[in-house]
Amino acid sequence: SSSSSSSSLCSTGQTGPDGWTGLGQCRHCIAGTYKDIKGNTTCTLCPANTYSTTVGATSLSDCLSCQANSFSLPGANSTDLCPCNEGHTTKSCVTCNRTFYKDYTGFGDCTPCPANTTHWNKTHCACDLGFTGGAFGNSSASSFKNCTECPPETYKDVYGQSPCTPCPPYSNSSAFHAGNVTACECFPFFKRRLSGPEGRVMECIDDDECEAEVHDCPELSNCVNTPGSFTCACHSGTVMKDGVCVVPVSTWNVTSLSPEGGASTGGYDVFFALVGDAPPPPAAALSVHVVGGGSAAVAPGGGGLLSFKAPPSATKGARLAEVRTTADGFPTVLSRFTFEYTPPDADPYPPFVGPWGGLVEVIVWFPPAAMDTCTISFGGVTTPVVVPHHLSTHATGAPTANLTVRAPSGAAPRAAAIGLVCRQFSRGIGGVLQYVSAPTIRPDIVYETAGCGSLACTLLLTVDSPPPWVSSPEHLALSLEAPLQWFPHQGLTSSDPILELAGAFAQSLSLRVTLPPTAG
């Protein structure tokens, strides 16, 4: 009985109906199922995501896993029942590439994403960087909307349908479909600072011109920083006028100003009267201050006028000047007036040449920017440049340029006006170069010994009709021919042992020249 009962059970991999009554009713488990025990129980389905092609499978291990990126329902009996997941394609279930998507299961092809989109999790497409709109491509996504580019002044640095982000404060952008915040440029006088993950957060930090001391606020004012700029706040008791902070003027006025301007080197006397509805303070309590420049004490000028030495100026043109006082009971600033600074006349050296011309160095005040294209003219005759100009700064702070030119020969005795001739313009620059006649020279040997062969002797030179400004050896040049073989002497001083000024008269000039001994 026991043996009969045992022999009536279906073996592993087989199944039969309950109440089995005869041989031949056990059947093999179909593909996609298995049975690992004896008996008449039904075969078990292979789990989800597996399949089996074996008929009469006796173990779970006969259920094979579907390939990567695919799935199956329980009881799958073929790889054809392991379709690709969404976002994967072909029999190998490879991932859709970046510009394609697939929103259904199966072995079908991936679908190209529309323009300005890219796939998002492989199952649907989303707007590219710099574009905004709705997502699409599967049942859970919103309905399709065209992805439109972000307009100027905005950017979008994430994929999807999120809106475009405005540029940070104090910045702008002219770019369309900007995909990064760095497309936004900070306003002038702001500097960019990036922070956050991958530097995706940008701030425009104001440059503090006041702290950096790069402002141009006038005297008697404070610099106040503002976003991207600054303002100048006048001190208490002062007001802004013509770009400067000034103390309100009282009833005194400057009149009879003479001269009304002068050379920017300053130092010359300027006369004026200070009139008003009450007597001004005494001259000793007054000073004249050029706004942005120097100051000078005031002194009595005679005839009821006051005077001051014009302070030097590093710039030319109209300058605001103030009459100030330290006297009690008076405003600090009594009156204001305008003083016109002009460039000094060109300064030639030497100030004269003979009819043969010669080298002349000329100082040009406030030279133009294109000074390298300029030369000098004397009396309207342009001269060649011998030594190119070099820039320098006068003690007043005014810029100058020095250049050496060759004065033309053949000119009759006269005063030749000096001009500046450049590629784009020409103008007079003041000053003259004097052309003089060649004076006659009468030598006379004064023998201090038996001769000049072995000991020194003295040569007396008489210069007839010298120019009136020749009054010292600095104005003279001396050279002697071989066999003495002396080097030329120019600009000698009265202390030079070779040349000594003996006497100067209206019609002649006497010089003593010490000659060295020579065997010739």
Side-chain angles (χ1 to χ4, degrees), residues 17-40:
D18 289 340
W20 171 78
T21 59
L23 189 62
Q25 294 190 14
C26 289
R27 301 183 184 278
H28 289 292
C29 294
I30 63 174
T33 65
Y34 70 95
K35 182 166 169 284
D36 56 0
I37 59 174
K38 292 181 178 181
N40 298 336

Side-chain angles (χ1 to χ4, degrees), residues 8 22 52 63 72 94 107 127 133 198 252 258 285 307 357 360 381 392 428 436 450 494:
S8 68
S52 174
C63 300
S72 71
V94 295
F107 300 107
C127 295
E198 302 177 355
W252 288 276
S258 179
S307 71
V360 179
V381 180
S392 59
V436 298
S494 58

Side-chain angles (χ1 to χ4, degrees), residues 242 254 257 259-261 317-322 336-340:
D242 298 328
V254 169
L257 184 65
E260 296 182 353
R319 302 293 300 275
L320 182 66
E322 298 176 338
R336 296 185 182 89
F337 61 95
T338 300
F339 195 75
E340 185 81 20

Side-chain angles (χ1 to χ4, degrees), residues 440-460:
T440 59
I441 302 176
R442 293 181 284 110
D444 187 10
I445 296 292
V446 179
Y447 291 102
E448 298 179 351
T449 63
C452 296
S454 58
L455 297 174
C457 61
T458 300
L459 174 65
L460 181 64

Side-chain angles (χ1 to χ4, degrees), residues 269-272 288 297-301 305-309:
D269 289 324
V270 180
F271 297 89
F272 69 100
V288 171
V298 173
L305 297 176
L306 301 171
S307 71
F308 65 93
K309 295 286 186 182

